[in-house]
Amino acid sequence: MSAKWEKQEANQGVLTVEVEAAQFNEALDKAFQKVVKQVNVPGFRKGKMPRAMFEKRFGVESLYQDALDIILPEAYSKAVEETGIEPVDRPEIDIEKIEQGENVIFTAKVTVKPEVKLGDYKGLEVEKMDTTVTEEDVEAELKTLQERHAELVVKEGKIEQGDMAVIDFEGFVDGEAFEGGKGENYSLEIGSGTFIPGFEDQLVGLEAGAEKDVEVTFPEEYHAEELAGKAAVFKTKIHEVKSKELPALDDEFAKDADEEVETLDALKAKIQERLQTQKTNESEGALRDTLVEKAADNAEVEIPEAMFNTESDRMMQEFEQRLQMQGLNLDLYYQFSGQDEKALRDQMRPDAEKRVKINLTLEAIAKAENLEVSDEEAEAELAKMAEMYNIPAENIKGMVSVDGLKEDLKIRKAIDFLVENSKTVA
């Protein structure tokens, strides 16, 4: 087999492949063995018709497509490997020459990974993020813990912001009840923004036993189109009002909030340490993200549409997985959001473009700086993954592509290179 690559405009080119006659004849034999089992001819059992009689009756050409299905995938893969190109989309294949006893010649129009013209990526300046943990930060975290451990107690008197109201409600538009607008004994936190804007505010000042017609207008962008922008009246009854009773900030609270501490001071110290680690990690993450974005902004590359589509597909899969973790799926999301698949993909497009350019830039940096990943480094990463997921190392190897893992590690090395060669300014 021989292969020749001719680059054309932009990121496209033509791969010309010639497959030896012997290989094609072997594929014809396999094609015949497959096809003859499906042929019904009087006087012969299925699969027993002689080859010569088959070709005389149907022509050897009837085997060409099946033979091509056998040889093309392997021939194309070998040609890609031999020429060293990196396709990013399915090829458009044309058969230039096909005849029994002759070499088969086909061409493949291929879109390949684009070349990146790197700009400045060494010595990039990045502003240092303040990682100081203040007393106010610790107090705010304590307040959050206090809220989390608060108890709801029945309250006498009027509803205030932050209270929990147990209500019945039924919504009407133009005097007609609408689907999904009714609830009984619903616990609503006043000020949470759970209901339509304006609804919760109108309950402030009411007491248990009160009834009120709450008048609101649905937002113009409301997910249910038949309600968007419509004025509505919710007949509402207050059954019960509860308020949060916050625990005292003392040693007993500290023990309840964290079983590893004995005093409030110890809890504060632990919060301080955790916030410091969190801020440091956030700072390092922000530093890396900023450097990567700067390097990508400084690079020049013409990206094929196929790469954006592939990245959009990946992002859609990630988004669907996140929805599934919340007990949702894409169809439900489309109903709630009022979007369709095209609108969601359009929304993701800028991030897809950014991701693709960043990855191409980091790959180009790794190549320019000869950043390689050894087999030992890949093995160490596999062992780390096995330990993290508590899976035997041999099982991990069956689940992860070593070549793909090495590419990921190269990207990490490229990011580390940017960090090591950057300048931090105050």
Side-chain angles (χ1 to χ4, degrees):
M1 190 199 81
S2 63
K4 182 177 69 172
W5 168 250
E6 293 180 43
K7 186 174 179 182
Q8 296 179 332
E9 60 183 19
N11 302 302
Q12 290 189 330
V14 174
L15 188 62
T16 304
V17 185
E18 186 167 353
V19 180
E20 287 81 2
Q23 187 178 347
F24 180 50
N25 288 336
E26 185 180 331
L28 285 172
D29 293 341
K30 291 179 181 177
F32 171 72
Q33 294 302 325
K34 172 188 172 184
V35 172
V36 75
K37 293 175 183 177
Q38 304 165 10
V39 176
N40 286 314
V41 178
F44 295 97
R45 286 180 295 149
K46 272 190 176 182
K48 298 301 180 181
M49 186 180 187
R51 172 79 174 268
M53 186 174 292
F54 174 91
E55 291 188 6
K56 184 176 181 181
R57 181 160 185 170
F58 299 104
V60 69
E61 294 82 7
S62 64
L63 299 173
Y64 282 179
Q65 187 56 57
D66 288 288
L68 287 172
D69 290 343
I70 293 169
I71 64 171
L72 283 183
E74 182 180 357
Y76 174 71
S77 294
K78 285 185 176 179
V80 166
E81 185 177 351
E82 183 179 315
T83 54
I85 61 174
E86 295 183 79
V88 295
D89 199 8
R90 290 182 179 182
E92 296 178 18
I93 292 180
D94 289 314
I95 307 302
E96 303 294 330
K97 178 184 174 185
I98 182 168
E99 188 176 339
Q100 187 178 23
E102 300 286 339
N103 290 357
V104 173
I105 300 175
F106 70 89
T107 59
K109 187 176 181 181
V110 186
T111 302
V112 296
K113 187 177 288 187
E115 295 179 5
V116 179
K117 183 180 177 182
L118 289 171
D120 292 336
Y121 64 91
K122 298 178 185 177
L124 295 175
E125 291 188 354
V126 62
E127 189 173 340
K128 187 175 182 179
M129 182 176 166
D130 184 10
T131 59
T132 305
V133 177
T134 64
E135 283 187 28
E136 288 77 10
D137 294 331
V138 175
E139 290 299 324
E141 191 69 12
L142 269 177
K143 180 68 175 174
T144 300
L145 278 174
Q146 192 182 28
E147 292 274 354
R148 198 175 299 158
H149 286 76
E151 292 184 5
L152 286 173
V153 295
V154 176
K155 168 183 175 179
E156 297 293 336
K158 298 178 179 180
I159 295 174
E160 298 177 287
Q161 291 289 340
D163 285 345
M164 188 74 71
V166 180
I167 64 173
D168 291 344
F169 62 88
E170 185 171 14
F172 297 83
V173 171
D174 297 329
E176 297 289 333
F178 56 87
E179 186 178 350
K182 184 176 182 179
E184 294 181 352
N185 293 314
Y186 186 93
S187 294
L188 174 64
E189 182 180 349
I190 308 303
S192 64
T194 305
F195 275 26
I196 302 165
F199 185 102
E200 295 165 23
D201 290 341
Q202 294 181 53
L203 300 187
V204 173
L206 300 181
E207 299 183 17
E211 296 184 15
K212 182 178 177 66
D213 286 352
V214 177
E215 299 179 4
V216 294
T217 301
F218 283 96
E220 293 291 343
E221 302 82 18
Y222 196 64
H223 61 80
E225 291 183 13
E226 68 276 10
L227 298 176
K230 296 285 183 68
V233 174
F234 283 85
K235 294 186 177 298
T236 308
K237 181 175 182 178
I238 314 297
H239 286 299
E240 195 173 49
V241 181
K242 298 178 181 179
S243 62
K244 291 180 180 178
E245 191 171 89
L246 299 176
L249 289 177
D250 54 20
D251 292 344
E252 288 304 314
F253 167 76
K255 292 176 188 178
D256 289 339
D258 189 332
E259 60 185 18
E260 295 181 356
V261 303
E262 293 291 330
T263 66
L264 183 60
D265 286 341
L267 178 61
K268 288 182 177 181
K270 191 170 182 179
I271 291 174
Q272 170 91 22
E273 184 180 350
R274 177 166 55 79
L275 290 179
Q276 187 63 68
T277 300
Q278 183 179 316
K279 280 200 171 187
T280 300
N281 291 339
E282 287 175 356
S283 174
E284 291 174 357
L287 171 71
R288 296 167 78 84
D289 289 345
T290 301
L291 289 171
V292 165
E293 288 179 15
K294 282 191 173 186
D297 288 342
N298 292 340
E300 295 179 17
V301 58
E302 188 175 342
I303 302 172
E305 186 68 20
M307 295 191 76
F308 294 137
N309 294 336
T310 299
E311 188 60 37
S312 292
D313 289 343
R314 187 180 293 114
M315 292 175 70
M316 286 287 287
Q317 289 173 0
E318 292 171 357
F319 183 67
E320 188 169 17
Q321 287 170 359
R322 291 196 297 272
L323 287 176
Q324 288 171 352
M325 292 173 67
Q326 301 171 37
L328 300 172
N329 57 40
L330 280 174
D331 287 337
L332 282 172
Y333 175 79
Y334 293 146
Q335 290 179 35
F336 292 150
S337 67
Q339 288 183 310
D340 57 15
E341 181 177 343
K342 182 182 182 303
L344 182 56
R345 285 182 178 273
D346 288 344
Q347 182 180 319
M348 291 178 172
R349 174 74 183 216
D351 284 339
E353 292 178 355
K354 184 177 178 180
R355 278 195 193 187
V356 172
K357 188 175 183 184
I358 282 174
N359 282 334
L360 288 171
T361 302
L362 291 173
E363 287 175 5
I365 291 172
K367 184 176 180 180
E369 299 299 329
N370 297 313
L371 303 177
E372 297 295 336
V373 176
S374 67
D375 291 340
E376 291 75 19
E377 288 173 310
E379 286 290 333
E381 185 66 19
L382 286 170
K384 191 187 298 182
M385 291 170 66
E387 183 179 355
M388 180 187 303
Y389 296 110
N390 196 25
I391 297 175
E394 290 304 314
N395 291 2
I396 282 285
K397 289 180 181 179
M399 298 163 60
V400 177
S401 162
V402 175
D403 288 340
L405 178 62
K406 284 187 173 182
E407 289 303 313
D408 288 343
L409 291 175
K410 269 189 191 179
I411 294 295
R412 288 191 215 170
K413 284 193 171 186
I415 297 174
D416 290 340
F417 179 89
L418 290 176
V419 174
E420 291 163 7
N421 289 273
S422 65
K423 297 176 183 176
T424 305
V425 293

